[in-house]
Each structure stands twice: as C-alpha cells, then as structure tokens.
Amino acid sequence: MKIELHAHTSETSPCAHINAARLVQMYEDAGYDAVVITDHYSKWVMEHNNIKDPQEFTDFFLKGYKSALLYSRDGNLTIKVLPCAEINLLESPNDYLLYGADKEFFYNNPLLFQMSLAELYNLCHNNGILLIQAHPYRAYCTPADIHLIDGAEVYNGNPRHNSNNSKTYKWASENNMIMVSGSDFHEEEDLAKGGIITETSFISIKELVEIIKAGNYSIIEN
C-alpha cells in the first residue's frame, strides 16, 4: 500500500491551490492507496480567515479533510482519506505533524497552537498520537528537542523548498528517531513526490500509526 503522509487542501490551507476533491482524485489516479490530509493549523490560519471562536476554527480546519473524505465516498474511490494536522506553535516557526489525531481529538482540544511543544508532546502521548517534526532543516526551521518529538520527516518532496533532507536523515538516524516521508502537496507539480509503502493493511489513522511505530514500511523518495 502506498500512502501520502503530507498533503494540503485549498479549503483549509491558504497556501494550497488544489481543492480536496481534485487532490483525492489525483492521488487515486497516481496509484496511492491512502492520503493523509495535513492541513495547516496555526494562529495565522485562524487570523487569515477572521475566525474568533475556537469551535468555528476547528470546523474550518477540518473542512478540507471532510471534503476529501466525502468526495472519496461519493465517488466510490478506493483511496483512504485520513485526518492529521501540520501545526505551527506560537513559540517557534517549526511545523509538526500529528499522526493519529482524529476529528474528535481536535474538537476536544481547541487552539492547540497555543501550547508549548512540551505540552503538545504530553497531550499527544496521552492520546496515542505521534508527534513528527516536518522538514526540520528547512531555512526557517530548527531541529526540535529530540525528547519532545517522536520523529522527523526525513524526506520532504516539495520542489519549491530546500528542505535539506540529507541533514534531517542524518540527524534522525543518529538519534534513532521515527523517519517518514511526504510530498508536502500544495500544487499539481507536488503530486506523488513522497510517502511510504507498506505491505500491512489498515483502515484507520490509528492503525496506520501502529504500522509507523513498528517500522513496517519503506520510504518513498522521488
């Protein structure tokens, strides 16, 4: 099974240019079996859309995921659509991927971007969620405290950024961290530039997390 672990929809992420329905269809046509929707979750997104109410922000944040899921079901597609988030906290420019977070988690824990990394790490671990730093060696990012994350995105396929993937791979390897890959999909040219491959079947995001924890996958580097 081929899985995209990093993709953004234009419904939620201001920097994305492909809507949820088109994204899902593109990945289905590209031969992927699952796509994890990692829309941006940040104070910037909330303010950009002039949202004040925490629940309204959660509704807005999940719009891309819900639209992608609805399209896959209505179109009788075989591709799985799974929830996630790319969170930017107030304390730094770093981005973090929350693998295992579902819509109930986001409604139960509003305005996550107000947390410190330590607080977010503890919350994630209490809920069985993997906290993975996205593109840690991109120009504006700094590798996080290895005691407060579970792993790193060692391959980011976005062609418009230099994510210094080789540096991330070296850092993650030296610290025995979980390593993942993602396309960081925002535009057509980003399609199928990363992800993972596994022979283990799964249905939910929680089951996918167990596959990642066990290391039963290989990384896609395109």
Side-chain angles (χ1 to χ4, degrees):
M1 300 183 73
K2 188 181 291 187
I3 305 120
E4 174 60 74
L5 290 179
H6 193 159
H8 299 271
T9 72
S10 61
E11 282 86 345
T12 296
S13 296
C15 50
H17 301 284
I18 307 294
N19 66 36
R22 190 171 166 211
L23 181 159
V24 172
Q25 188 65 61
M26 289 173 70
Y27 271 97
E28 170 100 351
D29 295 342
Y32 276 65
D33 300 285
V35 58
V36 181
I37 304 299
T38 58
D39 276 320
H40 288 292
Y41 185 114
S42 66
K43 182 181 180 182
W44 166 64
V45 173
M46 188 173 184
E47 292 179 343
H48 180 83
N49 292 280
N50 197 31
I51 298 172
K52 306 295 184 183
D53 179 71
Q55 180 165 328
E56 182 185 352
F57 176 65
T58 302
D59 289 338
F60 176 82
F61 165 71
L62 290 169
K63 186 177 179 181
Y65 161 68
K66 290 180 178 179
S67 297
L69 183 63
L70 182 63
Y71 178 81
S72 69
R73 289 175 175 173
D74 287 351
N76 293 317
L77 304 186
T78 60
I79 192 168
K80 294 178 177 65
V81 175
L82 303 172
C84 188
E86 184 174 16
I87 289 186
N88 171 253
L89 305 175
L90 299 179
E91 65 181 22
S92 84
N94 289 343
D95 296 306
Y96 303 96
L97 299 160
L98 272 62
Y99 295 120
D102 55 21
K103 62 182 182 180
E104 287 75 22
F105 173 80
F106 292 113
Y107 279 115
N108 291 335
N109 299 280
L111 304 186
L112 290 163
F113 56 76
Q114 294 180 343
M115 289 185 162
S116 67
L117 180 57
E119 291 170 334
L120 181 61
Y121 177 76
N122 288 332
L123 178 65
C124 286
H125 270 233
N126 289 338
N127 286 274
I129 296 167
L130 288 176
L131 183 59
I132 305 292
Q133 186 173 4
H135 44 70
Y137 280 90
R138 193 175 282 181
Y140 59 85
C141 299
T142 304
D145 183 341
I146 61 171
H147 301 101
L148 298 179
I149 56 174
D150 297 300
E153 186 182 52
V154 300
Y155 184 83
N156 181 289
N158 190 290
R160 294 173 304 284
H161 293 280
N162 180 7
S163 295
N164 291 299
N165 292 321
S166 59
K167 288 184 178 180
T168 303
Y169 185 87
K170 183 175 184 292
W171 174 62
S173 297
E174 290 174 348
N175 290 287
N176 195 32
M177 299 163 68
I178 291 173
M179 296 186 283
V180 299
S181 162
S183 298
D184 201 355
F185 178 91
H186 290 75
E187 301 181 14
E188 282 191 12
E189 66 176 348
D190 308 336
L191 178 67
K193 298 293 185 183
I196 61 172
I197 297 175
T198 181
E199 295 183 1
T200 306
S201 62
F202 64 93
I203 297 176
S204 68
I205 187 63
K206 298 293 186 182
E207 292 176 351
L208 178 57
V209 164
E210 293 306 312
I211 291 170
I212 295 173
K213 285 181 178 179
N216 295 330
Y217 62 94
S218 58
I219 285 176
I220 299 171
E221 300 181 33
N222 286 339

